[in-house]
Amino acid sequence: MTIKNHFPGQENTLETVVDGLSRKIAAYNDNLMIVEVHFEAGVTAPLHHHIHEQITYVMSGKFEFTVGDKTYIVGAGDSLYKQPDIEHGATCLEAGTLLDVFTPHREDFL
């Protein structure tokens, strides 16, 4: 992969994943990726798992996250860590935006 150092916001498009859930790839290289994820209230990201480590930072809104066998209610300023292959998912309680960081990058998002 060719290294890119600048990812202008206006060049990163917001793509619809499902109705009420969209994402924008902010920056990435082979080992790291940051993604802005927008949720409308009531939308659920179903339980899933992947090989990537993931940190989620709540920029706005309120969410109910399940990580493994625990459930958390989180809001702006909170963050969560998900180790590789742990089952996790979220329901948006109040419309908001998350910032997800993955290592390595999510090839399936590109």
Side-chain angles (χ1 to χ4, degrees):
M1 175 181 290
T2 302
I3 293 177
K4 183 176 175 182
N5 296 107
H6 182 226
F7 296 80
Q10 69 271 19
E11 292 178 10
N12 302 330
T13 57
L14 194 61
E15 66 176 60
T16 300
V17 178
V18 295
D19 195 34
L21 173 62
S22 55
R23 71 176 169 230
K24 180 193 297 192
I25 309 300
Y28 63 92
N29 69 14
D30 287 342
N31 299 315
L32 192 62
M33 173 181 270
I34 191 164
V35 180
E36 189 178 302
V37 187
H38 299 259
F39 280 81
E40 291 180 12
V43 172
T44 295
L47 289 172
H48 64 285
H49 62 90
H50 43 73
I51 64 165
H52 311 84
E53 281 186 272
Q54 178 180 351
I55 290 177
T56 298
Y57 177 78
V58 182
M59 296 174 61
S60 64
K62 187 174 179 181
F63 297 83
E64 179 181 277
F65 265 90
T66 298
V67 180
D69 61 356
K70 296 197 183 322
T71 299
Y72 307 93
I73 303 296
V74 297
D78 293 336
S79 55
L80 301 130
Y81 170 73
K82 297 136 197 162
Q83 61 267 42
D85 291 317
I86 194 165
E87 193 169 58
H88 60 280
T91 298
C92 182
L93 304 175
E94 295 174 10
T97 302
L98 305 174
L99 205 53
D100 281 333
V101 179
F102 298 97
T103 185
H105 78 273
R106 295 286 304 259
E107 186 68 36
D108 56 324
F109 283 13
L110 299 176

